[in-house]
Amino acid sequence: MPFHADENMAALLRSARLLKFSPSGLLQITGSKRNGPPINRLYSGATGGGRIGVCSRHISPGLEHASRRVWPHALGGVRGYTVATEQRDEASVGVRSKQVQQFDWALAKLDSSVRRTGRITKSMLLRIFHDICRTGYPSGNQALLLLRSCGSLLPEMPLAERTELAHRIWEKLQELGVSYDVSHYNALLKVYLQNEFKFSPTEFLAKMEAANVHPNRVTYQRLIAAYCQNGDIDGASTILGFMKTKDLPITEVVFNSLVTGHARAGDMESAKNILSVMQGAGIEPGPDTYVSLLSAYAEKGDMDNIKKTLEVVESSDCALMDRDMMEVIFSLAKAGHNQHVPEMLERMRYERGYVPDAMNLCLSLITHGQEDTSFHILKTFPTLQVDGPNGDAPNLGNFFLRHCVNMDTPVEKIGSYCKQLQDSNLHTSPLHFTLSCALEVKKTGVCFELMKMLKEQDLPVRPHYFWPLLVQHVKDYNTAGVVEVVKGMQELGVSLDVETFSNYILPCFPNMDAARQAVQDAGCSLESEGFISSEVRSVAARNLAELYTLLSDPSSPGLDLSVFRGSLISGFRKSDDVESMVKVTELLYKDERFSKGTSKPFETTSYFLYNLIDKMTDQEVQEQEDKLRKYFNQLKAQNITISGNIYRGIRNLLDSYHVPELIKDVITLVDPRDQTSASASAGLPVTGLEGKVLMVEKRLAELKEENKPLGMLLKQAIALHCSDENLERALELKQQHEEEMTASGYANLINLCCRRNNVDEALDLKMELSRKDSSVTLDTSKYIALVKVLSKNGKVEEALDILKEMKEKDVVLNDTNFTSLFHALSSAATEGNAPMIQRLQDTIFTLGLAQPTANLCSPLITAYLESKDLPGALEAAMACQKQYGQLPRMHDIIVGLVEAGDTELLQKAMDFVSQERGEMTMLYDLYFAFMQTGRFREARKIIETPGLRAKPGRLQWYAEKCIAGNQMEALEQMVDMTTKLFECDRDEMYSYILRVCKDTNNWQKAEAVWTKMQEENIIPRERTLRMLADILKKNGQEVPFEEPETWYEQAAIKEQNKSAQTDSVPAKAAGGNDYQLRLLTLCKKHKTKEAYEVLKQAVKRGAALGPSIYDHLIRVLLSEGSMEDAMAVRDIAASNLPGFQFSDTATNLLIITHSRRGMAKEGLATLKSMLQAGHVPSPLSITRLVQALGNDGDAPGVQEVESLLKGLGTSLNLSSMLFVNNTALAHIKNDNVESAVEMLEAVYTSPNSTAPSMSYVFRKVLEDENDTAMDKLSAMAERLAQHFACYRPSSDLFLQLLDMDKVEEAKFLLARCNALAEQTKVLVSYMSQKAQKPGQVDKIKTLVNLIPDFTEKEVLYPYLMKCYALDEDLASAKTLYEQIQKEGVEVDELSLKRLAMLYRKAGETVPFSEPPESFKFYANKLKERAAKDSTTAEE
């Protein structure tokens, strides 16, 4: 047909300019979500080959005209945002560069998924997209990769959704200032083709022109494909003619499109003839061309021509791959010719990469409603995968079943697929897996149908299957939804257990009466064990008086205490109703209904008391000391006793909580039979303290009769009576012997009076002591005890006098004293006397006794809160912030304001916090207040505030609060709400729930957590996996993953290096033997000066000495750094023994000496001469030389040594980072830190990186106090950790800071990079190194204090024992051994051997059976065990 290219194209563009554009943004898509989930930095990718897409060539018929709504005004869109970008860039080039780098790793992850599996998931793409949007500075490359990902790489998404997502990405990135070029438009065109999107090529060109973007050959090729996709050959010819006028080459791609175009136009003959046209144009048809033709025949269902074409292909040089055949199969299935698919499958060759490509084909077929065909293809998989990794039948088809559920495939059909998979032994439990998928997406109807199928197959349906359906109803307080699910459970015959009632039904109802009615209406029995147990749990946690009424009812069925122990402990911890606590305990003690099995009520109650104290924190026990004392005393009054063993356990806990006074109250509960048996076994009428008191009293009476001074004995007697809490007798002794009283006696009496709250007596004793000797200074703890008792009893002036005395006498407070002072003020604050606390606080800070901290400021706020004065509390907190920079108990104030509904004060508080601490802190304060008060909906609105980032410290604080209070619901709510919170560590969040699961032994909940973590694509840490595995194994459940191995370095004692054997040449002259013997002896004793003088004397007398004697002396001199004397000996040797040369050892020592003296150039020259002589240097000499060159800033010298050694032809086992670290150090010495950072980053970001250590660089920079270099290196380390998950540099920096006692800096680094706590191997290695030398135990303890759980106790304790053995610290070793026994940790034999050695050195009897073998035997045993564990792990 006649065609005038220029005129037609111009007309085409002119018509495009006349189009009307919508004022809305470019590519506006109605109904699209504007906010998606944030990126999860942990991904789990599928395995498979590296193929991309399955259906990229496929084109579908029947397209209609494009909607012009798709292309709103590009002019204002593209150009306008380009200007905005230019303006912003002037001020933020550096920020933009940094932020873009932060997401390069995420995009690399997306690209990696494509390469490995040929597809990506929608969730992964959206997470990356939204994170890029949050930076505000997306790059063109990022935009390109995102756009390219919206086509056939998303086989699980319907075509229309893919295109909508592409438009959304295009629009948003344009808003953020991305300047699109032709590659972006071409990428969008490709997405349109892959998604079979209806659009106008003419409008597309107009948009490009309006944006001043010129189309290229690829653009025209894809526009031709777009016309051909619609069967519009005329439109394609127009573009084709234009390409010819521009002399653009017509490639195979164009011909392939024309094949499709003619076929879609109904002209198969012309489609076939395109191949001849290609050959006429000198282009041989390739695989893509044949696939286009085969797909065209497939759309018609023409199997005859498909076979003929395949025969032509086989006879030519062209070969079709499995993936090509899959495109033909896809075309057949889409066109409805499924009957031909089996025949095409027979032609598959099952090449490498078949499985991932076939998976993508199956997913695409399901997306297009072709499940049966997809299932038929799925069944070809087992020919390649007969067995799973453990030899069992694999669970084939998980991806298939999940996608069927997501695409709403009829349940009957899904059930049929499951049956076939199971009957064919291709899947062990397909129905269960499908049910889990349906539960994940909350498809209630599908779930119930699948559960019915399980019942029909006599498979169990367990209560926890319904939890995912209930949890959303509980969150929404949808009681109707809960009842509906419960009715469904009843229909299926599933009994509701206590966990289901407690966690997923009762929390939905406002009160227990409403819950009872609803449960009864749903057909559940209120007499069932599950409901009764859950009711008891609920009541136990909130109202002990009601609990007692419920349990004491004789008609109430018996429940084992273990069912509600956790809730009861929680209730005890929160309650101030001591009377009810005692009643409940007495009921448990006397009623056998609560002790099932072999346990007796006495034992059950004893263990409950132990568990109560064990679950409380030290702070709780200290704060509730008075309540516990009252509780124990009332238990004694009710004749409730505990066993001796339980007492010892409670005693140890109270001792560790620093409340020894409570022990006196607990000991009264011990069963008298235990005390009697203990006394009888000791053969004494009384034991322990009482026996000592009697003995001292007797001795006192004797001395008094003899009129002898009592002295130390009186002091001892008063101390013993004070320890026995016998204040009356102690005061009586004081009255009788007042003239002989010492300061320590008064101190003990004062302290006991303070403990007994006998304020008047304490004050009198203090005044009496001051009158006797005003210079006496009491112990700090006793001063604080006085302040506590005086302030608690309203004697504020006297308390202030004590504080002033502390200042006058320069009493120094440590951290423990600060804590005690806090508790003293807190105790007084409970009276609500805020003015008094204000005076005490001001005095403490004014006198400088303590620096203002949030802890010490908080008692003032407590006083206001106790008196219900919220406005006063707020004003006091604001004053503390302005005066001291502290904001104490703001959380409690805000909680009070929320509960009171005082919006005006709440707004005032929020404004103040926002102004002083920032908006993010304010939002978190408000969020936690809503959480604390159960206003979860309001809390969700706060935490979902756009731009809010995770604050790990605050989230951990609230999580620990929930864990301590056993508040599972609040914890779950927080974990669920923070799903989309930016930079939220999801593994850490779920680990909090698992901790509660572990405490409550709730394996079902733990299992549900594991499922939820997989749903979020979280890669858990080893710690989390280990905790989850422990919970499951403890309850006899199968662990659904490979458990991480526990590894530790061998704790072995290294033998001392044996002295080097020296050979000597026999003396050749008289007297030579004598001199040789003397010289060797002096050298071995390192008496080098004497040896040197003896040598000169021997030479002077003409004694003949062999070369080994000279060499031996030279080596000893060099080892001590006496290089001048060594060179003098060399000269003497050369003059007496012609041809004398240094031995290799001596030469290496000379290089080391040069290096130590800063003579690196001379050392390098020595090395060169050594290598020229054919000798091999030692690794130590090379290391010291390279370090010296690096320290001198000689980077070329370091590189020269490296090249010299490369030509050596043998390996010296040098550190892999020796040359890198020292080259970097040389750059830093030359003030070229950027080069050092660039080189080190290249090492750690290399794909083959083994994460080597750069500890040496950090140590040198820290020693040099080079703050500029340190800042840049630490920034690099954090960048590698956060963006590349490479934690070795940060770990090295952290350990170097610890090693140099920069603990505060180490804490800050740990806070910024929490993952350091998971670098177990590096941390244990550091601990192992420290345990090699004496005096290093404090560094290990510091590490443990900062990261308490970085390793198992079985690993930690042997190293600590080794340190104590090296330090010969028997006292600490004894304490450690007692702690090990208390915690039930197995003691290794080597540690026992070391402890026994310490006992013997101290002359004490070893109190255990000492392992009989040698140290070496047990060290080797540990080595063999560790090696075996390592081998097992590798296998």
Side-chain angles (χ1 to χ4, degrees):
M1 70 178 178
F3 175 72
H4 302 286
D6 291 334
E7 292 178 9
N8 286 350
M9 184 56 65
L12 196 127
L13 293 177
R14 277 198 302 273
S15 64
R17 293 189 192 105
L18 299 176
L19 294 172
K20 301 293 184 182
F21 298 122
S22 165
S24 57
L26 180 62
L27 297 179
Q28 182 178 8
I29 305 298
T30 59
S32 63
K33 292 183 180 177
R34 305 187 68 85
N35 293 312
I39 187 169
N40 187 328
R41 290 183 290 174
L42 304 173
Y43 294 91
S44 57
T47 57
R51 308 294 297 244
I52 301 178
V54 218
C55 313
S56 58
R57 299 193 192 99
H58 182 71
I59 303 172
S60 137
L63 297 182
E64 301 175 1
H65 293 294
S67 167
R68 295 184 180 181
R69 175 177 62 83
V70 176
W71 283 96
H73 56 293
L75 241 170
V78 177
R79 288 179 178 169
Y81 284 115
T82 303
V83 173
T85 304
E86 290 171 0
Q87 292 172 348
R88 285 188 299 173
D89 282 353
E90 294 176 6
S92 56
V93 172
V95 176
R96 177 172 184 169
S97 173
K98 182 178 180 180
Q99 290 181 328
V100 167
Q101 289 175 9
Q102 292 178 354
F103 295 96
D104 285 345
W105 69 270
L107 295 176
K109 184 72 180 179
L110 188 150
D111 187 53
S112 172
S113 177
V114 172
R115 293 177 184 277
R116 289 184 293 107
T117 67
R119 67 181 182 277
I120 59 175
T121 63
K122 177 184 176 181
S123 58
M124 180 190 293
L125 181 60
L126 284 176
R127 282 194 291 267
I128 294 175
F129 167 53
H130 285 297
D131 272 353
I132 289 175
C133 292
R134 285 192 180 92
T135 68
Y137 299 105
S139 69
N141 283 338
Q142 291 171 341
L144 194 60
L145 186 52
L146 287 172
L147 287 170
R148 286 175 176 172
S149 302
C150 294
S152 59
L153 297 178
L154 294 168
E156 296 170 272
M157 284 182 69
L159 303 183
E161 289 184 22
R162 294 185 203 167
T163 308
E164 182 180 336
L165 178 59
H167 288 164
R168 180 180 167 194
I169 290 173
W170 181 281
E171 180 186 51
K172 185 62 181 178
L173 295 184
Q174 193 176 62
E175 288 177 8
L176 294 173
V178 173
S179 182
Y180 292 131
D181 57 30
V182 68
S183 65
H184 297 92
Y185 284 91
N186 290 340
L188 189 59
L189 272 176
K190 185 68 174 177
V191 168
Y192 284 173
L193 293 171
Q194 291 177 344
N195 296 345
E196 303 168 13
F197 178 66
K198 313 178 191 96
F199 75 102
S200 167
T202 306
E203 288 187 28
F204 196 94
L205 279 173
K207 293 303 158 188
M208 292 183 69
E209 184 198 27
N212 198 25
V213 176
H214 302 290
N216 60 13
R217 176 171 58 86
V218 176
T219 312
Y220 295 127
Q221 287 176 352
R222 290 182 179 171
L223 288 173
I224 288 172
Y227 278 118
C228 291
Q229 192 177 49
N230 200 31
D232 186 354
I233 293 298
D234 291 339
S237 299
T238 302
I239 304 293
L240 187 60
F242 185 74
M243 289 180 69
K244 289 179 179 177
T245 61
K246 292 287 188 179
D247 292 329
L248 297 174
I250 309 301
T251 63
E252 181 185 1
V253 175
V254 175
F255 287 110
N256 297 344
S257 298
L258 292 173
V259 169
T260 302
H262 283 295
R264 296 279 173 87
D267 187 359
M268 286 303 300
E269 193 62 31
S270 295
K272 181 180 178 182
N273 290 337
I274 290 293
L275 275 69
S276 302
V277 175
M278 290 177 68
Q279 291 171 334
I283 301 174
E284 283 297 321
D288 290 347
T289 307
Y290 284 112
V291 169
S292 297
L293 183 58
L294 287 167
S295 295
Y297 285 131
E299 289 177 4
K300 307 295 182 184
D302 189 350
M303 280 301 294
D304 291 337
N305 276 313
I306 288 177
K307 292 176 184 177
K308 291 177 183 177
T309 305
L310 288 173
E311 290 173 1
V312 172
V313 173
E314 290 170 1
S315 61
S316 66
D317 293 335
C318 184
L320 297 182
M321 302 175 67
D322 284 346
R323 185 176 169 204
D324 298 322
M325 300 303 294
M326 289 180 193
E327 293 201 24
V328 180
I329 291 172
F330 187 69
S331 299
L332 281 168
K334 278 192 66 180
H337 306 298
N338 300 293
Q339 69 275 16
H340 301 307
V341 171
E343 188 176 349
M344 293 301 298
L345 284 173
E346 292 174 2
R347 295 179 178 270
M348 291 292 182
R349 292 184 292 185
Y350 302 109
E351 303 158 331
R352 184 179 181 184
Y354 171 82
V355 171
D357 285 340
M359 287 174 68
N360 293 336
L361 173 60
C362 289
L363 292 171
S364 297
L365 287 169
I366 296 171
T367 302
H368 286 79
Q370 300 290 330
E371 300 90 359
D372 291 338
T373 305
S374 176
F375 187 69
H376 189 81
I377 294 169
L378 175 68
K379 290 190 291 186
T380 65
F381 284 31
T383 58
L384 303 177
Q385 298 180 342
V386 178
D387 293 324
N390 299 320
D392 302 324
N395 288 339
L396 181 69
N398 281 353
F399 77 96
F400 173 87
L401 295 171
R402 183 185 296 278
H403 198 39
C404 282
V405 171
N406 292 337
M407 296 305 296
D408 295 321
T409 302
V411 181
E412 296 77 14
K413 188 177 281 191
I414 295 177
S416 171
Y417 297 146
C418 291
K419 187 176 186 304
Q420 293 182 59
L421 286 172
Q422 193 157 16
D423 291 346
S424 303
N425 292 323
L426 302 179
H427 199 297
T428 54
S429 52
L431 266 179
H432 281 97
F433 177 79
T434 308
L435 175 59
S436 71
C437 296
L439 289 169
E440 284 177 15
V441 293
K442 309 290 190 301
K443 296 191 176 182
T444 305
V446 176
C447 292
F448 278 114
E449 290 299 322
L450 291 170
M451 290 181 194
K452 288 178 183 177
M453 293 180 184
L454 286 172
K455 295 290 285 186
E456 289 169 3
Q457 296 182 22
D458 293 327
L459 294 172
V461 177
R462 307 188 188 281
H464 71 268
Y465 293 0
F466 297 85
W467 292 355
L469 302 178
L470 288 165
V471 69
Q472 191 60 47
H473 296 317
V474 174
K475 288 178 185 176
D476 299 336
Y477 295 97
N478 181 4
T479 55
V482 169
V483 170
E484 181 186 353
V485 174
V486 172
K487 286 180 178 178
M489 295 176 72
Q490 294 300 301
E491 291 174 6
L492 290 168
V494 179
S495 299
L496 281 73
D497 60 5
V498 61
E499 302 301 334
T500 306
F501 274 118
S502 298
N503 300 325
Y504 299 98
I505 296 178
L506 299 186
C508 188
F509 296 93
N511 52 59
M512 186 57 69
D513 291 336
R516 284 195 193 95
Q517 186 61 48
V519 169
Q520 198 167 18
D521 292 344
C524 293
S525 171
L526 298 181
E527 304 302 321
S528 67
E529 183 178 350
F531 181 79
I532 293 172
S533 300
S534 61
E535 185 178 17
V536 170
R537 277 191 184 183
S538 176
V539 175
R542 57 183 172 79
N543 192 326
L544 294 179
E546 184 180 345
L547 175 69
Y548 177 73
T549 303
L550 180 65
L551 296 181
S552 59
D553 186 350
S555 62
S556 174
L559 287 177
D560 189 71
L561 177 60
S562 62
V563 173
F564 61 97
R565 182 191 293 119
S567 301
L568 185 58
I569 289 174
S570 176
F572 270 46
R573 289 165 67 181
K574 292 183 291 185
S575 177
D576 292 324
D577 185 359
V578 177
E579 184 178 349
S580 295
M581 291 169 62
V582 174
K583 285 182 178 180
V584 171
T585 310
E586 184 182 8
L587 183 64
L588 297 176
Y589 185 79
K590 296 179 179 178
D591 198 328
E592 295 186 355
R593 291 178 300 160
F594 308 107
S595 302
K596 299 293 179 68
T598 58
S599 298
K600 297 178 181 178
F602 165 77
E603 297 172 350
T604 302
T605 310
S606 294
Y607 281 112
F608 170 73
L609 291 175
Y610 173 80
N611 289 326
L612 172 63
I613 303 301
D614 186 40
K615 293 298 181 184
M616 297 179 75
T617 64
D618 54 350
Q619 185 175 353
E620 273 185 293
V621 174
Q622 290 166 4
E623 291 173 352
Q624 300 182 27
E625 182 178 348
D626 292 338
K627 181 183 89 172
L628 291 172
R629 178 174 288 109
K630 186 177 178 183
Y631 172 57
F632 291 139
N633 290 335
Q634 291 192 27
L635 290 181
K636 174 63 176 175
Q638 298 300 323
N639 295 321
I640 292 174
T641 61
I642 60 176
S643 68
N645 284 335
I646 294 296
Y647 159 70
R648 283 187 283 274
I650 296 176
R651 179 198 62 193
N652 292 338
L653 289 172
L654 293 175
D655 192 51
S656 67
Y657 294 160
H658 306 294
V659 281
E661 295 83 2
L662 270 180
I663 297 174
K664 304 300 179 184
D665 300 287
V666 179
I667 197 172
T668 61
L669 298 177
V670 179
D671 190 338
R673 290 172 297 180
D674 281 6
Q675 294 178 345
T676 303
S677 61
S679 301
S681 64
L684 296 170
V686 289
T687 60
L689 186 61
E690 190 174 350
K692 291 180 181 178
V693 169
L694 292 173
M695 181 185 70
V696 171
E697 286 276 12
K698 183 179 179 182
R699 182 61 182 151
L700 272 176
E702 292 173 356
L703 291 176
K704 191 174 180 181
E705 287 180 3
E706 298 171 4
N707 289 323
K708 292 183 179 179
L710 305 181
M712 292 299 295
L713 198 62
L714 176 62
K715 171 185 170 182
Q716 186 181 359
I718 290 177
L720 286 170
H721 282 301
C722 288
S723 298
D724 198 30
E725 299 289 320
N726 191 347
L727 178 61
E728 292 73 16
R729 177 55 184 161
L731 288 173
E732 186 181 336
L733 283 175
K734 177 250 177 191
Q735 292 288 345
Q736 293 174 358
H737 310 287
E738 193 165 341
E739 67 283 354
E740 296 191 55
M741 283 290 292
T742 62
S744 62
Y746 278 107
N748 283 323
L749 285 170
I750 290 170
N751 200 37
L752 180 57
C753 290
C754 291
R755 288 207 303 269
R756 289 289 193 87
N757 198 28
N758 191 339
V759 61
D760 294 328
E761 192 68 53
L763 197 57
D764 290 343
L765 288 166
K766 176 66 179 69
M767 294 172 65
E768 190 174 325
L769 174 61
S770 298
R771 285 196 301 270
K772 279 198 167 187
D773 187 352
S774 60
S775 65
V776 171
T777 302
L778 294 176
D779 179 71
T780 309
S781 62
K782 293 179 177 60
Y783 274 124
I784 294 174
L786 272 170
V787 172
K788 179 179 180 179
V789 73
L790 290 170
S791 56
K792 191 173 181 180
N793 288 275
K795 295 183 179 294
V796 62
E797 297 299 335
E798 290 82 352
L800 294 174
D801 290 340
I802 296 295
L803 292 172
K804 292 172 184 175
E805 181 179 330
M806 292 172 68
K807 176 64 178 177
E808 291 169 1
K809 295 184 177 180
D810 294 325
V811 175
V812 179
L813 280 71
N814 56 28
D815 289 343
T816 304
N817 301 139
F818 292 144
T819 303
S820 300
L821 188 58
F822 160 72
H823 288 301
L825 294 176
S826 296
S827 177
T830 57
E831 305 299 323
N833 190 344
M836 179 185 71
I837 302 299
Q838 180 78 65
R839 291 186 64 188
L840 290 170
Q841 176 184 289
D842 291 344
T843 303
I844 290 168
F845 296 153
T846 303
L847 294 176
L849 292 173
Q851 292 299 315
T853 63
N855 226 24
L856 289 177
C857 290
S858 64
L860 176 59
I861 312 302
T862 302
Y864 281 108
L865 293 176
E866 288 291 332
S867 59
K868 309 298 181 185
D869 184 1
L870 287 173
L874 179 59
E875 290 298 330
M878 293 165 65
C880 284
Q881 171 63 31
K882 292 174 182 176
Q883 191 172 359
Y884 305 122
Q886 305 293 339
L887 204 54
R889 295 203 65 178
M890 202 63 195
H891 169 75
D892 299 299
I893 296 172
I894 297 172
V895 167
L897 293 173
V898 170
E899 288 177 336
D902 193 336
T903 54
E904 185 177 344
L905 270 183
L906 182 61
Q907 186 62 53
K908 179 181 179 180
M910 293 297 94
D911 291 342
F912 181 78
V913 174
S914 180
Q915 178 184 349
E916 295 292 328
R917 297 292 178 90
E919 185 179 0
M920 189 174 292
T921 300
M922 178 270 290
L923 288 172
Y924 269 100
D925 284 341
L926 191 56
Y927 168 70
F928 288 126
F930 284 141
M931 290 292 292
Q932 185 75 20
T933 55
R935 292 166 169 82
F936 297 132
R937 292 184 181 180
E938 292 85 349
R940 183 178 292 276
K941 292 176 184 176
I942 296 296
I943 205 66
E944 291 179 353
T945 301
L948 191 65
R949 290 173 176 263
K951 298 190 76 172
R954 299 214 59 183
L955 292 172
Q956 181 184 11
W957 165 79
Y958 186 73
E960 295 290 352
K961 192 179 179 70
C962 291
I963 293 168
N966 199 23
Q967 298 170 6
M968 175 64 90
E969 181 189 7
L971 190 58
E972 284 187 298
Q973 287 281 356
M974 182 177 74
V975 173
D976 181 66
M977 291 176 192
T978 53
T979 300
K980 299 179 182 180
L981 185 61
F982 186 57
E983 291 184 342
C984 180
D985 187 337
R986 302 301 296 157
D987 170 78
E988 186 72 15
M989 299 303 292
Y990 279 109
S991 73
Y992 297 138
I993 299 182
L994 288 176
R995 283 172 58 188
V996 180
C997 293
K998 189 171 183 179
D999 290 342
T1000 58
N1001 202 30
N1002 189 342
W1003 70 267
Q1004 294 93 341
K1005 175 72 68 178
E1007 191 175 57
V1009 166
W1010 172 242
T1011 303
K1012 188 69 176 173
M1013 291 179 74
Q1014 294 175 80
E1015 181 183 338
E1016 286 193 34
N1017 288 334
I1018 297 170
I1019 297 179
R1021 295 184 177 92
E1022 286 189 4
R1023 173 202 62 191
T1024 307
L1025 288 175
R1026 206 173 288 126
M1027 182 160 42
L1028 180 57
D1030 288 345
I1031 297 169
L1032 294 174
K1033 287 192 295 185
K1034 185 177 180 181
N1035 289 277
Q1037 302 300 313
E1038 183 180 354
V1039 179
F1041 49 80
E1042 184 178 355
E1043 295 180 56
E1045 294 288 336
T1046 302
W1047 176 89
Y1048 60 90
E1049 294 190 359
Q1050 300 90 337
I1053 300 176
K1054 295 184 178 179
E1055 293 185 2
Q1056 296 182 349
N1057 294 327
K1058 295 180 180 180
S1059 302
Q1061 297 295 325
T1062 57
D1063 57 326
S1064 58
V1065 175
K1068 296 181 181 179
N1073 280 337
D1074 294 336
Y1075 281 114
Q1076 285 190 156
L1077 183 59
R1078 287 179 64 193
L1079 284 169
L1080 283 172
T1081 302
L1082 291 171
C1083 286
K1084 287 180 179 180
K1085 293 181 178 179
H1086 286 274
K1087 296 182 177 181
T1088 51
K1089 295 295 182 183
E1090 294 180 35
Y1092 185 41
E1093 293 300 324
V1094 169
L1095 175 69
K1096 289 191 288 186
Q1097 184 181 3
V1099 170
K1100 184 177 180 181
R1101 295 188 178 183
L1105 302 175
S1108 63
I1109 297 298
Y1110 291 106
D1111 188 72
H1112 204 103
L1113 181 54
I1114 288 170
R1115 280 187 281 157
V1116 175
L1117 288 167
L1118 287 173
S1119 68
E1120 294 185 358
S1122 303
M1123 189 170 67
E1124 292 78 9
D1125 290 344
M1127 293 300 100
V1129 173
R1130 181 197 61 180
D1131 294 338
I1132 293 172
S1135 63
N1136 287 280
L1137 298 171
F1140 174 83
Q1141 291 183 341
F1142 274 14
S1143 67
D1144 286 356
T1145 304
T1147 307
N1148 285 317
L1149 285 169
L1150 180 59
I1151 294 173
I1152 293 170
T1153 306
H1154 280 312
S1155 303
R1156 285 176 175 169
R1157 289 195 167 198
M1159 303 165 63
K1161 293 292 184 184
E1162 290 78 359
L1164 181 55
T1166 304
L1167 173 65
K1168 288 179 181 178
S1169 63
M1170 186 179 189
L1171 293 173
Q1172 288 170 0
H1175 298 292
V1176 179
S1178 70
L1180 181 61
S1181 65
I1182 296 296
T1183 301
R1184 293 291 177 264
L1185 174 59
V1186 172
Q1187 288 173 343
L1189 291 167
N1191 204 44
D1192 289 345
D1194 189 358
V1198 175
Q1199 294 164 4
E1200 184 177 1
V1201 174
E1202 186 177 12
S1203 32
L1204 284 171
L1205 294 180
K1206 283 181 180 177
L1208 193 59
T1210 184
S1211 172
L1212 294 180
N1213 292 323
L1214 296 170
S1215 166
S1216 61
M1217 287 290 282
L1218 175 64
F1219 298 103
V1220 174
N1221 280 340
N1222 284 282
T1223 304
L1225 188 60
H1227 287 313
I1228 293 170
K1229 291 287 184 180
N1230 295 324
D1231 294 326
N1232 187 6
V1233 184
E1234 289 75 16
S1235 296
V1237 169
E1238 182 180 353
M1239 181 179 66
L1240 290 167
E1241 275 193 327
V1243 170
Y1244 287 107
T1245 56
S1246 168
N1248 300 321
S1249 174
T1250 57
S1253 172
M1254 59 172 289
S1255 215
Y1256 177 78
V1257 177
F1258 284 125
R1259 177 160 58 85
K1260 284 296 185 183
V1261 173
L1262 286 168
E1263 287 173 352
D1264 293 341
E1265 297 182 351
N1266 188 340
D1267 293 338
T1268 302
M1270 195 68 249
D1271 289 344
K1272 293 182 179 180
L1273 288 171
S1274 60
M1276 176 202 75
E1278 292 182 36
R1279 185 164 60 249
L1280 288 169
Q1282 295 170 4
H1283 305 159
F1284 297 91
C1286 177
Y1287 301 108
R1288 186 56 189 264
S1290 296
S1291 302
D1292 290 338
L1293 176 56
F1294 173 75
L1295 294 175
Q1296 281 302 317
L1297 290 170
L1298 279 187
D1299 214 31
M1300 301 180 77
D1301 296 323
K1302 297 179 181 290
V1303 179
E1304 289 303 318
E1305 294 180 35
K1307 283 183 183 176
F1308 288 135
L1309 177 60
L1310 183 61
R1312 294 194 300 271
C1313 186
N1314 294 330
L1316 290 180
E1318 305 300 326
Q1319 309 311 303
T1320 305
K1321 187 173 182 179
V1322 177
L1323 298 176
V1324 172
S1325 177
Y1326 172 81
M1327 183 169 62
S1328 174
Q1329 292 171 11
K1330 295 296 109 181
Q1332 303 301 322
K1333 298 178 182 178
Q1336 300 296 310
V1337 70
D1338 287 338
K1339 288 192 167 67
I1340 296 178
K1341 288 182 177 179
T1342 303
L1343 175 60
V1344 173
N1345 288 335
L1346 291 179
I1347 310 175
D1349 59 345
F1350 78 91
T1351 187
E1352 305 294 338
K1353 292 179 179 178
E1354 291 85 350
V1355 181
L1356 171 64
Y1357 290 152
Y1359 283 115
L1360 287 175
M1361 188 64 77
K1362 182 177 182 181
C1363 289
Y1364 293 140
L1366 289 172
D1367 295 339
E1368 296 187 357
D1369 186 353
L1370 176 59
S1372 297
K1374 284 181 179 179
T1375 304
L1376 175 62
Y1377 181 64
E1378 290 173 2
Q1379 184 178 353
I1380 292 172
Q1381 288 185 310
K1382 173 185 171 184
E1383 294 175 356
V1385 178
E1386 182 180 355
V1387 189
D1388 65 284
E1389 293 159 317
L1390 190 58
S1391 294
L1392 288 174
K1393 193 77 177 173
R1394 287 177 173 140
L1395 180 56
M1397 177 190 70
L1398 289 175
Y1399 271 106
R1400 286 198 305 275
K1401 283 186 177 180
E1404 295 184 24
T1405 304
V1406 179
F1408 51 80
S1409 178
E1410 181 181 353
E1413 302 293 341
S1414 65
F1415 280 97
K1416 185 176 180 180
F1417 173 85
Y1418 294 117
N1420 290 334
K1421 186 177 178 181
L1422 278 178
K1423 286 181 181 178
E1424 291 169 5
R1425 185 192 305 170
K1428 183 179 179 181
D1429 291 345
S1430 176
T1431 304
T1432 305
E1434 292 172 359
E1435 292 174 352

